[in-house]
Amino acid sequence: MPGKRHIVVPNMWTGKPPPAFADRLGAVASRFTLGTTGVLLSAALAAPAHAVTPGGAAEDMGARALGRGGVGRADGADVGGEELNLAASALTPQYILFAGGEIGPDGRLLARTGAVDSRTSVVALGAGYRYFVDDVPPTGAELPGWKPAGTELANGGSHQRVHLGLAVPLLERRLSFGGNARFDWGATELAGDQSAFNFGFSVAARPVASLTFAAGARNLLVTGYPHVQREVDLSARFDPGKYLGIEADVVAPIVGGFDVGGFQWRAGADVAATTWLTLRGGWSMDAGAHSAHAGLALVSDKATLDYGVKVRLDDPSRNWHAVDLRVNF
């Protein structure tokens, strides 16, 4: 996000094409996005089935996304989610570094750092590192054959990840294609040491300055690594002005088939109360569980401090908190 001065709004636009051209471009981008999504879905569905890893349904995207329902795949200005939205980030010239952390249920404690540069070359680059610990109760195949009576099962572990992505913007930054690779390693009490490589692809289109679409296919390899599963997603973002942004995302885990009941539905908004304060809110539903989200950001030309919280409505004790600092260059 280095080329921008207001982090909340990703609509940096170098010029307005003639109406006829904009209409044709919008139609082409819409058909292209729908067609690409269909191809990604078909490829994912054709892959072999695998079991769900507990707690591995959704990738974290940082404090900003956490505060607005988990959305951000179509928000190129949100570099905290660069592993999932680099194609959208390529639509805006920027150079931003970020660092942050998160705490949550099941002993979750996470630290992250990364960067996006879509300004200094003809391609956009994103890279990051994450480390987290947790203790997710084992289920399914992870359950041991027996346990002493009256004891609680534990499966504490630590995990690390590095990832690198590249996106190519086209048509004066109205369309982009991206790909990313990741390497995870770590250990849990029950499974011991583990490591895995994975990759995915994404596409983003901005037919007009205020509207962005994105689609992706993530973690295409079946590795069995904890907190990682194959999924496809589709997002749409509307930025009618520099004080408001609205986004809706749907994430479809591909777990032994295509089950609508397992979809993750997300919606959220950013509202700039002043030039230095942005408020956020949103809602999400993951596999039938509803959560409320809220967040705020302190904004300046050089840096932004974001805070987000997520509370599961049927079990408020399961809440997540995250803080990110982004620095613009």
Side-chain angles (χ1 to χ4, degrees), residues 4 6-12 75 77 237 239 241-244:
K4 307 175 53 71
H6 289 288
I7 303 295
V8 267
V9 181
N11 0 336
M12 296 193 60
D75 183 5
R237 183 170 181 84
D239 291 296
K242 68 177 186 175
Y243 295 110
L244 176 65

Side-chain angles (χ1 to χ4, degrees), residues 7 43 56 67-68 78 82 88 91 104 114 125 150 157 198 204 223 233-234 245 251 283 325:
I7 303 295
R68 59 184 183 188
D78 183 9
E82 46 82 25
L91 301 178
L125 296 175
N198 226 310
T223 65
D233 53 68
L234 182 64
V251 182
W283 159 89
L325 175 65

Side-chain angles (χ1 to χ4, degrees), residues 169-185:
L170 305 168
L171 300 176
E172 298 181 348
R173 296 188 185 269
R174 297 184 180 96
L175 179 68
S176 69
F177 298 90
N180 76 290
R182 59 185 282 176
F183 184 74
D184 297 82
W185 71 98

Side-chain angles (χ1 to χ4, degrees), residues 12-50:
M12 296 193 60
W13 196 249
T14 55
K16 185 175 182 180
F21 175 75
D23 291 342
R24 291 196 299 272
L25 178 62
V28 171
S30 298
R31 289 195 298 270
F32 174 80
T33 302
L34 290 173
T36 302
T37 304
V39 172
L40 296 177
L41 285 170
S42 299
L45 286 169
H50 68 291

